[in-house]
């Protein structure tokens, strides 16, 4: 496909998304379905372009100049009303663009039945329009190549997602929305000021121009800019000290939007961070790399610990996003650290592992959020304790969710395992000839990633088992039925993609540029790094072969029809579904082992039969999982700010004379001091 | 050094376990003839060389339970005969039922029998289980075990000594094998 | 470094000083009639100042001086005094500070204003420097009067003194404001005066109070 | 002897002697308790009897109840095929990378846990919660232990680690600093196979069970598969630790038929020795209260961490 056709397809995808937003506002009830279909089609175009550019090695930067008005002297210049801004898709942003487009196609398909099912609690037209705007903003960020474009679309993302969080208008979503608004906008401010510091205040300067300017920057402004950028992108990606908004905001948004937010918006933050780090900055000082690694490791551990504790399915997924983002930032940090310390192949392996984990996280996290939407629609509650027995009632759906949950726990045949394998193998490979400081860091990271991988498995098994297995704990769960195809197809497709992405990961890695990570001479079947090799497809075939052999052997050695179904062995006493293990009980050992960090308070209240009759009628146990970061860090800041505001409030005592004298005083001070 | 000496004594020292023969050869005491259903089950399960037992208390006075626990000690040691106690009826091939079936344990006994996978032998141990014993017509007792679930082997005695239990079970197994 | 002043400069300085004197004296008076008269006198000196500046500056200043006389010397005092009479205001003005210390306050504000003026424009030559200083002085005196006094009418007069200061500053720095703008300013001031007097009468009728101190309770 | 034949021999030998491991532990423990005890090859008969029994499936379970036996046994058989237990340099040796092995172990345990939970009984839930805690807290220890071995022998495939030293057990002689990592591996083996300090395999009291509680509701063929998988995992770990520790010959591609017989004999000898060690351990120490197992797991973790640090330091000397 020649450049112009690619450019046209790209423009169709972007304009189509915007058009979908406009169509959504049409008062006609059919507009809901139409806008989502347009969104899906335009995203499909985007996916084709993204994948073609990401894998094609020859296409460097598509500037759709075919569509620019040609200036008098024949030189193509950008649309005048865009101040000469140039939009383009290079190989790096194409990876994220294809992730965004693939996810959007499936989310748009999912949105049709979802919003029809929730037509009462959401204003369908505004949610559709805002979702299209949200995706348009993300596309814009990926396409823009200068500060002005980047920041405007970044703002569009923040504003659209803010209103989407408020979509259901409950008090909790309003509170979460404001927290989200505050943190993202402080972050956006930090990014903008960081970029301006780098570019010396030029609003429209191109990223490549900044890359030339940055080497001469004085040390101080350079490190301040880096700090601001880390804070900005970190708060958007949910790194630990700034992660507080993520578990509040994601669950409140409509499910398909929280899938987009968790799956793709966090990757846009990673894209922005990498775009600045790899393409704009000459070299990065050691303290910066170490902070990335430390923040990444801490947010991975905190994310996974709270994911293990959570009993609300969407908050659990949000915390697991924090954990995965923490892993991605650790990989980026280790890549940069290795780059500084001179072990080259660890750098490439770590960075490509980060990219691959980001891509696979987008796939399985979107799938998990969409499936949590289906469960909540069936059970009318987000608490894991109200679910159960869904696997019996929705077999096909539960198989897909089992695949997604196992890929979220980084289990072998699926994509995230390949990313984590590449990273761990590269780290072990680099251990031998690393410098002493790098050795210590790598050992700590090895232990931390192992710890996080273990607990991630715990969290995902808990989520899947408590939600799907055993007997239903509530009547709604008992009445659940297999979801409609509109819900089921996107989730099954996402599970399938996660498997295919895992099996053909060497091919994918080779195509997106990690040539010596998955060398072509081995027929792109093996990922080889740090002295070890992994052939995902043959691994899968071995496992499948063994299972098939066992299946046949069992039929051979025993009579299959000699079977009877009977109630679970209950020691003779009738058992009720309430006796099953709940999410709280399942995670009790971990909560006990890490009680120092987690400070969860268990309150057991025994209610006597009558006030003076000590006989206990019922005993209730409630668990308060305190958000340590929120209570220790954000609450004091919040109360400090409100106290300060109180002081200032006292100034407004209503007397006019007081105000006039203040004005005079201000005038006097400015005249004498300022001028 | 005491540990080494203790282990040496236990491992190589004189065995306290009673010789097998005074459980397997049965000359004077006569036993009920073993039914055809028991024969077919034992033939099916490789001659019953490795069977797993689930002890069910259907209202016994705990006398039989003490005898059953004695089976596991060093002197009687039923392990050597391929028998071992298990935690769940799902894993069991034999059900040792003790005591007359009281009203509130009737449901428990029935669910245990139905929970056990089918070729499963029921051994009623003690007079209470076999005939209802001294509680035969009491208002709280439903009756002997056979009133609730089919019984294959009966071992009378109030309570039967571990040797008697072992002799009864092994006799049933051997006569079923031939 | 005494530089010789030309005759027109002397008159400008004299007029400026007397303008300041009226403003200073006016700030101490506690009867409505007196402060209106001092304001009229002050505006008259302002007109004279404009005329003297027109000598070596722009001819338009003559027209603006005429406007000052018509509006500020005749029209606005008339409006304020008629509205005061019609609403039978007590004419006795109340203030946070007693008359003697109010002079002291005006003196300090004058001093500060001179200091501010000096620090602002050391580079200007003498007449412009003096004019800017008087402008700032007038502005600060008007402000001080508004801040110190409690009743409405003196606040109005303080506001207009402030406005005079700004007029001087405009004339000194810009030379001459285009005529249309000048006329516009005059009309706004008169309308301002009308509005303020209507407001004071309204307040007097509704809350039977002239003292802005009681207005503090008007919360929402 | 090409590698395919090696792997076939290993599959046959390991799958055949697996039940023997459980039999041997019970035999030695009985002897330590002064009892005559069952014959060591009784488990063969037990599993055969179970295969004949009826398969009672719980009504409250879903498709997970039926897939768990295949998944658990599948992961155990995968380890038996891939790891260098009887022969090194087998057909599937390259995929015996230690991260893959750790992940397949975790996958098997995950399915075991989900099977336990699916029955809906409180015992199944309790056993699953404990097993999942142990497995997830063991993950870093497994990775650090094998990282130390990979560092010392230069190859991150476990097959390469063993084959690296010419005679199997020489690893400790050439790299004595690996003793700590080997101890950590032993602790991991004990925890993974629900042996003594963590869980008592022969308990009947459901409240103390970890592994046993999850298979409470399986019967007939499925129960046989689950118990066989547990036995297989025990054999795999025993032979792996033995290969790291004991200088006994393994089959290489270069070995003649006589060497094969010798290696098979040495495998059985290794199994007997390891099972005697396990029985001795189980007869001398008491089982830990579950909420103290955290100290066991932390101990194993820091042992593995120091083992890795030691391996790194020794690189410098």
């Amino acid at each position: 496909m020649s450049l112009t056709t690619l450019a046209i397809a790209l423009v169709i995808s972007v304009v189509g998304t915007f058009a979908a937003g406009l169509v959504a506002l049409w008062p006609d009830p059919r507009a809901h379905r139409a806008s989502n279909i347009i969104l899906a089609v335009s995203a499909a175009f985007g996916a084709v372009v993204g994948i073609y550019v990401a894998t094609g090695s020859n296409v460097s930067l598509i500037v759709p100049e075919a569509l620019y008005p040609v200036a008098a002297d024949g030189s193509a210049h950008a649309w005048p009303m865009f101040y000469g801004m140039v939009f383009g898709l290079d190989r790096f942003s194409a990876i994220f663009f294809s992730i965004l487009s693939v996810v959007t196609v499936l989310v748009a398909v999912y949105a049709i039945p979802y919003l029809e099912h929730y037509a009462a609690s959401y204003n369908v037209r505004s949610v559709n329009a805002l979702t299209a705007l949200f995706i348009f903003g993300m596309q814009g960020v990926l396409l823009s190549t200068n500060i002005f474009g980047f920041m405007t679309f970044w703002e569009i993302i923040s504003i659209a997602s803010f209103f989407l969080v408020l979509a259901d208008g409950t008090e909790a979503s309003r509170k979460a929305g404001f927290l989200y608004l505050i943190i993202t906008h402080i972050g956006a401010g930090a990014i903008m000021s960081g970029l301006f510091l780098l570019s010396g205040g030029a609003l429209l300067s191109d990223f490549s121009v900044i890359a030339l300017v940055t080497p001469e920057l004085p040390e101080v402004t350079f490190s301040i800019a880096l700090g601001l950028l880390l804070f900005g992108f970190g708060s958007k990606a949910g790194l630990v000290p700034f992660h507080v908004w993520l578990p509040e905001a994601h669950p409140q948004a409509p499910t398909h939007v929280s899938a987009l937010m968790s799956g793709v918006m966090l990757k846009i933050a990673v894209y922005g961070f990498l775009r600045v780090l790899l393409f704009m900055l000459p070299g990065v000082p050691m303290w910066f790399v170490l902070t990335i690694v430390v923040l990444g490791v801490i947010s991975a551990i905190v994310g996974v610990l709270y994911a293990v504790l959570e009993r609300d399915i969407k908050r659990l997924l949000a915390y697991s996003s924090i954990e995965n983002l923490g892993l991605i930032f650790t990989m980026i940090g280790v890549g940069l650290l290795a780059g500084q310390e001179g072990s080259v192949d660890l750098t490439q392996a770590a960075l490509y592992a980060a990219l691959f984990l980001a891509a696979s996280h987008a796939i399985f996290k979107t799938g998990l959020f969409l499936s949590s939407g289906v469960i909540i629609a069936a059970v009318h509650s987000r608490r894991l304790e109200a679910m159960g027995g869904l696997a019996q009632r929705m077999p096909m759906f539960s198989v897909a969710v089992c695949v997604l949950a196992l890929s979220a726990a980084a289990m072998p045949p699926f994509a995230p395992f390949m990313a984590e394998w590449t990273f761990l193998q590269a780290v072990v490979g680099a251990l031998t000839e690393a410098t002493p400081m790098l050795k210590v860091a790598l050992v700590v990271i090895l232990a931390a990633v192992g710890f996080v991988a273990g607990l991630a498995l715990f969290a995902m098994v808990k989520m899947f088992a408590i939600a799907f297995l055993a007997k239903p704990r509530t009547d709604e769960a008992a009445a659940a039925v297999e979801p409609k195809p509109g819900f089921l197809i996107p989730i099954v497709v996402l599970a399938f993609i996660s498997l295919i992405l895992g099996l053909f990961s060497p091919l994918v890695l080779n195509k997106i540029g990690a040539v010596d990570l998955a060398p072509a001479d081995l027929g792109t079947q093996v990922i080889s790094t740090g002295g070890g090799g992994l052939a995902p497809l043959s691994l899968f075939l071995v496992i499948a072969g063994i299972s098939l052999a066992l299946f046949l052997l069992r039929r051979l050695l025993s009579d299959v029809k000699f079977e009877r179904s009977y109630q679970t062995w209950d020691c003779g006493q009738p058992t009720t579904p309430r006796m099953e293990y709940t999410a709280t009980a399942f995670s009790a050992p971990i909560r006990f082992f890490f009680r120092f960090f987690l400070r969860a308070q268990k309150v057991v209240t025994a209610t006597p039969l009558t006030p003076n009759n000590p006989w206990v009628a019922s005993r209730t146990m409630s668990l308060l999982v305190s958000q340590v970061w929120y209570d220790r860090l954000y609450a004091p800041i919040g109360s400090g700010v409100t106290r300060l505001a109180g002081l200032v409030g006292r100034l407004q005592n209503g007397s006019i004379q007081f105000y006039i004298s203040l004005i005079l005083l201000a005038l006097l001070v400015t005249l004498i001091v300022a001028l | 050094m005491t540990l080494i000496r203790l282990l040496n004594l236990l491992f190589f020292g004189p065995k306290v376990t009673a010789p097998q023969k005074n459980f397997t050869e049965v000359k004077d005491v006569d036993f009920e003839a073993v039914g055809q259903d028991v024969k077919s089950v034992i033939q099916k399960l490789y001659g019953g060389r490795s069977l797993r037992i689930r002890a069910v208390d259907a209202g016994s006075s705990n006398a039989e339970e003490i005898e059953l626990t004695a089976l596991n000690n060093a002197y009687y040691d039923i392990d050597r005969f391929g028998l071992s106690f298990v935690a769940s009826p799902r894993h069991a091939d034999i059900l040792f039922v003790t005591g007359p079936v009281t009203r509130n344990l009737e449901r428990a006994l029935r669910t245990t029998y139905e929970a056990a996978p089918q070729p499963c032998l029921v051994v009623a141990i003690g007079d209470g289980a076999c005939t209802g014993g001294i509680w035969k017509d009491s208002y709280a007792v439903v009756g002997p075990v056979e009133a609730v679930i089919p019984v294959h082997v009966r071992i009378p005695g109030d309570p039967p000594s571990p040797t008697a239990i072992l002799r009864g079970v092994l006799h049933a197994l051997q006569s079923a094998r031939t | 470094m005494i530089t010789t002043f030309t005759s027109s400069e002397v008159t400008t300085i004299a007029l400026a000083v007397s303008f300041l004197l009226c403003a200073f004296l006016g700030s101490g008076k506690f009867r409505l009639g007196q402060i209106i008269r001092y304001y009229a006198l002050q505006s008259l000196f302002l007109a004279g100042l404009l005329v003297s500046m027109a000598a070596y500056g722009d001819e338009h200043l003559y027209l603006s001086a005429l406007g000052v006389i018509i509006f500020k010397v005749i029209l606005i005092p008339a409006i304020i005094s008629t509205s005061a009479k019609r609403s039978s205001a007590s004419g006795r003005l109340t203030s946070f500070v007693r008359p003697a210390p109010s002079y002291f306050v005006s003196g300090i504000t004058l001093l500060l204003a001179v200091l501010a003026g000096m620090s602002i424009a050391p580079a200007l030559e003498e007449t412009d420097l003096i004019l800017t200083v008087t402008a700032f002085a007038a502005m600060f005196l008007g402000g001080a009067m508004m801040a110190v006094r409690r009743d409405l009418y003196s606040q109005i007069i303080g506001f207009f003194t402030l406005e005079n200061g700004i007029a001087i500053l405009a004339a000194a720095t810009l030379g001459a404001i285009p005529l249309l703008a000048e006329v516009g300013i005059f009309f706004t001031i008169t309308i301002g005066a009308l509005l303020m007097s209507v407001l004071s009468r309204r307040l007097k009728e509704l809350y039977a109070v002239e003292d802005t101190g009681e207005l503090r309770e008007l919360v929402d | 002897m090409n590698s395919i034949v090696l792997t076939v021999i290993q599959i046959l030998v390991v799958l055949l002697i697996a039940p023997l491991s459980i039999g041997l532990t019970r035999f030695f423990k009985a002897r330590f308790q002064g009892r005559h005890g069952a014959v060591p090859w009784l488990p063969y008969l037990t599993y055969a009897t179970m295969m004949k029994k009826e398969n009672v499936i719980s009504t409250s379970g879903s498709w997970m109840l039926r897939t768990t036996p295949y998944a658990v046994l599948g992961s155990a058989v995968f380890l038996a095929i891939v790891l260098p237990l009887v022969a090194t340099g087998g057909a599937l040796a390259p995929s015996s990378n230690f991260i893959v092995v750790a992940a397949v172990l975790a996958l098997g345990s995950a399915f075991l846990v989900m099977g336990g939970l699916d029955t809906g009984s409180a015992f199944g839930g309790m056993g699953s919660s404990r097993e999942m805690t142990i497995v997830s807290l063991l993950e870093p220890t497994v990775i650090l232990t094998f990282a130390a071995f990979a560092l010392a022998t230069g190859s991150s495939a476990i097959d390469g680690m063993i084959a690296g030293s010419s005679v199997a057990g020489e690893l400790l002689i050439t790299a004595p600093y690996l003793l700590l990592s080997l101890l950590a591996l032993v602790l991991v083996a004990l925890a993974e196979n629900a042996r003594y300090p963590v869980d008592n395999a022969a308990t009947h009291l459901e409240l103390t069970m970890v592994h046993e509680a999850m298979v409470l509701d399986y019967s007939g063929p499925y129960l046989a598969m689950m118990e066989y998988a547990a036995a297989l995992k025990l054999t795999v770990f025993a032979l792996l630790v033995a290969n790291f520790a004991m200088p006994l010959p393994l089959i290489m591609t270069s070995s003649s038929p006589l060497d094969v017989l010798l290696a098979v004999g040495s495998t059985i000898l290794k199994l007997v020795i390891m099972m005697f060690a396990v029985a001795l351990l189980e007869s001398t120490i008491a089982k830990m209260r579950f909420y103290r197992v955290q100290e066991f797991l932390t101990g194993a973790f820091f042992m593995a961490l120091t083992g890795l640090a030691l391996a790194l330091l020794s690189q410098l000397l």
Side-chain angles (χ1 to χ4, degrees), chain A residues 197-438:
Chain A
L197 276 177
L198 286 183
S199 75
L203 178 63
L204 286 171
S205 64
D206 201 283
F207 286 157
S208 47
V209 166
I210 297 175
L212 308 176
V213 170
T214 39
E216 300 89 23
L217 275 177
E219 192 49 35
V220 174
T221 47
F222 188 63
S223 38
I224 293 172
L226 285 183
L228 285 171
L229 287 171
L230 178 62
F231 168 72
F233 289 116
S235 63
K236 189 74 175 177
L239 278 185
V240 160
F242 336 111
H243 68 294
V244 177
W245 62 274
L246 207 140
E248 310 289 339
H250 281 196
Q252 301 301 341
T255 312
H256 62 292
V257 171
S258 49
L260 272 172
M261 280 169 77
S262 201
V264 184
M265 188 176 81
L266 300 181
K267 304 304 158 318
I268 301 293
V270 170
Y271 161 75
F273 190 60
L274 284 177
R275 170 68 76 185
V276 166
L277 227 53
L278 303 179
F279 292 83
M280 277 206 254
L281 302 181
V284 185
M286 181 52 79
W287 63 267
F288 184 68
V289 171
L290 283 180
T291 17
I292 299 176
V293 170
V294 165
L295 283 186
V297 167
I298 293 175
S299 53
I301 291 175
V302 165
V304 88
L305 272 178
Y306 276 100
V308 162
L309 275 188
E310 260 317 313
R311 283 120 356 118
D312 170 331
I313 191 163
K314 285 179 111 174
R315 283 173 69 91
L316 189 148
L317 292 176
Y319 274 115
S320 128
S321 294
I322 295 177
E323 174 242 326
N324 278 293
L325 263 296
L327 278 183
I328 291 171
F329 271 84
T330 323
M331 291 178 185
I332 294 170
V334 165
L336 295 172
L337 192 64
Q340 305 248 331
E341 300 288 315
S343 33
V344 173
D345 74 340
L346 173 56
T347 321
Q348 203 209 24
L351 287 179
Y352 274 104
L355 274 182
F356 196 68
L357 183 60
S360 42
H361 176 260
I363 301 288
F364 73 73
K365 188 44 60 67
T366 313
L368 281 176
F369 260 108
L370 295 186
S371 45
S372 74
V374 170
I375 301 170
I376 293 162
V379 169
H380 310 302
S381 145
R382 292 208 317 240
R383 278 188 16 250
L384 280 173
E385 262 83 330
M387 301 174 189
L390 297 180
Q392 230 176 5
R393 288 155 183 74
M394 313 180 186
M396 169 84 105
F397 174 67
S398 57
V399 168
V401 175
C402 185
V403 164
L404 289 169
L406 285 180
S407 55
M411 279 297 120
F414 302 111
F417 172 73
M418 305 310 162
E420 243 168 64
W421 180 87
T422 324
F423 177 66
L424 285 178
Q425 187 58 54
V427 163
V428 167
L431 261 180
T432 42
E433 82 284 344
T435 58
M437 202 276 285
L438 185 60

Side-chain angles (χ1 to χ4, degrees), chain A residues 493-516:
Chain A
V493 164
L494 281 169
F496 190 67
I497 295 174
S498 181
L499 180 64
I500 292 299
L501 207 60
L503 294 186
F504 297 101
S505 45
L507 188 68
V508 169
L509 280 172
N510 186 309
K511 278 283 183 279
I512 60 173
V515 181
D516 58 4

Side-chain angles (χ1 to χ4, degrees), chain D residues 148-149 152-153 165 169-180 311 314:
Chain D
F149 284 120
T153 58
S165 53
E170 254 184 20
L171 202 59
L172 279 189
I173 300 149
T174 54
Y177 47 80
L178 282 182
L179 186 63
L180 213 54
S314 65

Side-chain angles (χ1 to χ4, degrees), chain A residues 392 398 417 421 425 443 454 464-465 469-471 534 554 562-566 568-569 580-581 586 589 592-593, chain D residues 54-61 63 66 70 97 100 103 114 117-120 129 136 156 217 291 294 312:
Chain A
Q392 230 176 5
S398 57
F417 172 73
W421 180 87
Q425 187 58 54
V443 164
F464 177 74
L469 303 180
K471 294 197 277 288
L534 171 71
R554 191 252 177 192
F562 192 22
E563 195 177 279
R564 172 168 61 97
S565 65
Y566 187 67
T568 313
W569 163 239
E580 281 161 15
Y581 243 56
F586 191 76
F592 177 76
F593 289 165
Chain D
E54 181 186 33
N55 183 4
V56 183
I57 291 286
S58 154
T59 50
S60 65
W63 51 269
R66 293 181 186 281
Y70 293 105
N97 185 294
V100 171
M114 285 196 265
L117 276 169
D118 201 10
T119 53
S129 157
S136 55
S156 64
D217 224 71
Y291 278 83
Q294 170 196 7
L312 279 173

Side-chain angles (χ1 to χ4, degrees), chain A residues 557 562 564-575, chain B residues 44 54 88-90 107-108 111-112 114-117 119:
Chain A
L557 291 175
F562 192 22
R564 172 168 61 97
S565 65
Y566 187 67
Q567 67 190 20
T568 313
W569 163 239
D570 53 11
C571 293
Q573 303 312 324
T575 57
Chain B
K44 193 165 184 294
R54 172 66 160 114
S88 153
R90 279 287 206 300
R107 182 198 173 283
T111 42
T112 312
E114 279 153 13

Side-chain angles (χ1 to χ4, degrees), chain A residues 571-573, chain B residues 56-60 98 100-112 140 142 148:
Chain A
C571 293
Q573 303 312 324
Chain B
V56 183
D57 180 349
S60 85
T98 57
V101 185
T102 53
R103 215 166 283 293
N104 51 23
L105 271 172
E106 184 200 355
R107 182 198 173 283
L109 181 61
R110 186 169 296 111
T111 42
T112 312
V142 172
V148 177

Side-chain angles (χ1 to χ4, degrees), chain A residues 529-543:
Chain A
T529 168
L534 171 71
L537 196 59
S538 59
L539 183 69
F540 179 70
L541 292 180
V542 166
I543 295 178

Side-chain angles (χ1 to χ4, degrees), chain A residues 114-202:
Chain A
Y114 181 75
L115 285 179
E116 273 157 14
H117 181 268
Y118 278 99
S121 59
Y122 291 126
N123 171 349
V124 175
R125 284 173 40 222
S126 72
V127 167
N128 275 335
L130 284 170
T131 322
L133 190 67
F134 180 50
I135 295 162
F136 176 71
M138 283 195 267
Q139 285 174 335
V141 165
L142 290 174
L143 293 179
S144 56
T145 58
N146 58 27
I147 300 182
F148 181 75
F150 188 85
M151 283 321 293
T152 22
F153 286 109
W154 190 271
E155 235 5 76
I156 290 176
I157 297 178
S158 306
I159 301 292
S161 54
F162 165 66
F163 283 114
L164 282 168
V165 168
L166 297 182
D168 60 2
T170 56
E171 179 47 32
S173 65
R174 203 169 301 119
K175 198 168 86 65
F178 280 123
L179 182 64
Y180 171 61
L181 189 70
I182 293 164
I183 293 189
T184 31
H185 277 87
I186 296 175
I191 296 172
M192 190 181 286
S193 35
L195 286 176
F196 281 157
L197 276 177
L198 286 183
S199 75

